[in-house]
């Protein structure tokens, strides 16, 4: 999966975080200044208390808040299993977008893949 390379691109940058199963990573409606790459584990993305998607190692999430003018989170992210994540700041995100065009394409690919799974869950 190409997105795994995206996680590898920022593996040496910013923060490495661990979350235990059930721990909230961020809540919907809050200010977001970081995006995340999953190194290991799975994360549930929830809307109104319902899981709308479960993502796993190699996926990135939270990027939406970095591109919205109000930086508001649209979902709540909860560690489904114990997780190791890499947090990428908004300034690092913008640096990677400007200096590594494939990073931008791979983030878009991850988002597009997740959107397709959401629109067509039976095909996943």
């Amino acid at each position: 999966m190409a997105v795994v390379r995206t996680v590898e691109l920022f593996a040496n940058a910013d923060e490495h975080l661990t979350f235990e199963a059930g721990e909230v990573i961020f809540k919907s409606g809050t200010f977001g200044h970081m995006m995340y790459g999953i190194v290991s584990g799975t994360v549930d993305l929830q809307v109104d208390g319902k899981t709308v998607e479960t993502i796993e190692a190699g996926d990135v999430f939270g990027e939406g808040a970095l591109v919205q003018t109000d930086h508001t989170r649209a979902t709540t992210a909860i560690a489904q299993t114990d997780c190791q994540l890499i947090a990428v700041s908004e300034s690092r995100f913008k640096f990677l977008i400007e200096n590594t065009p494939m990073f931008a394409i791979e983030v878009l690919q991850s988002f597009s893949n997740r959107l397709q799974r959401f629109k067509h869950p039976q095909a996943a």
Side-chain angles (χ1 to χ4, degrees):
M1 172 184 285
V3 178
V4 172
R5 283 195 331 232
T6 300
V7 172
E8 291 170 357
L9 275 175
F10 50 81
N12 295 321
D14 297 346
E15 298 179 55
H16 291 255
L17 306 171
T18 56
F19 290 87
E20 294 181 12
E23 195 172 352
V24 175
I25 300 163
F26 57 75
K27 290 185 178 183
S28 176
T30 60
F31 180 85
H33 63 280
M34 302 286 251
M35 70 172 285
Y36 302 88
I38 304 173
V39 176
S40 64
T42 56
V43 173
D44 286 336
L45 300 178
Q46 297 184 346
V47 175
D48 297 328
K50 292 182 179 179
T51 298
V52 294
E53 183 176 18
T54 299
I55 56 177
E56 56 192 25
D59 282 322
V60 295
F61 66 102
E63 69 283 354
L66 301 183
V67 298
Q68 295 296 326
T69 54
D70 64 0
H71 296 282
T72 302
R73 299 277 187 206
T75 60
T76 295
I78 300 174
Q80 183 188 68
T81 64
D82 291 349
C83 294
Q84 182 181 21
L85 307 178
I86 300 167
V88 176
S89 67
E90 180 181 4
S91 61
R92 180 75 177 156
F93 173 76
K94 288 179 179 177
F95 174 84
L96 289 168
I97 293 288
E98 291 173 2
N99 294 286
T100 314
M102 285 308 296
F103 172 80
I105 290 170
E106 290 174 4
V107 168
L108 285 170
Q109 181 183 32
S110 174
F111 183 77
S112 177
N113 290 343
R114 289 177 32 221
L115 187 58
Q116 285 180 350
R117 287 192 305 262
F118 182 74
K119 289 179 177 178
H120 306 284
Q122 66 280 2

